[in-house]
Amino acid sequence: MFEKILDEFSTPFYLYHEETIIAKSKLLKNLNLNFSHKFHFAVKANPNLAILNLLHRQDFGAEVVSAGELFKSLKAGIEPSQIIFDGPGKTEFDLRYAITQQIKSITVENLEKLTLLMNILSVKV
């Protein structure tokens, strides 16, 4: 099978097995955790739209670190309420975009980002 694929496509390429991804996601979802939880896929691990869409269909949310990853997650059909924004490198554009999309949460790592976020939101202290 792989020889046929190698003959047909140039390398490098990525080959994913949908059934394996579904089985692994079901394994996680079937854990008997004694607390309320939601699994979020780290988009930086694989921003492939087909993979994001597949994980969305398995009821996973998304964990993003940039406006680009947020855009891809939304394009894959993940609801804004199922997206969390982490990571220390958020720009003003990233924050503004996340706010306009009304995502679930934005992690703020330091006072500088908190001040920027408050300025964007026009929050007075």
Side-chain angles (χ1 to χ4, degrees), residues 42 44 63-67 69 84-91 94-95 103 105-110 113-114:
K44 67 182 170 187
E63 184 260 349
V64 303
V65 297
S66 70
E69 289 181 5
I84 55 177
F85 203 138
D86 286 328
K90 292 184 270 317
T91 66
D94 291 330
L95 291 171
I103 65 171
S105 69
I106 299 172
T107 303
V108 179
E109 294 81 10
N110 56 50
K113 292 297 181 200
L114 180 59

Side-chain angles (χ1 to χ4, degrees), residues 35-105:
F35 53 88
S36 177
H37 63 281
K38 171 81 175 180
F39 290 106
H40 292 78
F41 179 72
V43 176
K44 67 182 170 187
N46 191 333
N48 181 301
L49 281 175
I51 299 298
L52 296 177
N53 186 273
L54 174 60
L55 289 168
H56 164 60
R57 292 193 316 267
Q58 300 308 305
D59 197 34
F60 274 61
E63 184 260 349
V64 303
V65 297
S66 70
E69 289 181 5
L70 174 53
F71 177 79
K72 280 194 160 191
S73 299
L74 294 168
K75 189 145 180 83
I78 300 171
E79 294 294 322
S81 64
Q82 301 302 313
I83 299 173
I84 55 177
F85 203 138
D86 286 328
K90 292 184 270 317
T91 66
E92 181 176 350
F93 177 82
D94 291 330
L95 291 171
R96 286 185 184 280
Y97 184 57
I99 290 165
T100 62
Q101 298 306 306
Q102 300 180 338
I103 65 171
K104 180 176 184 166
S105 69

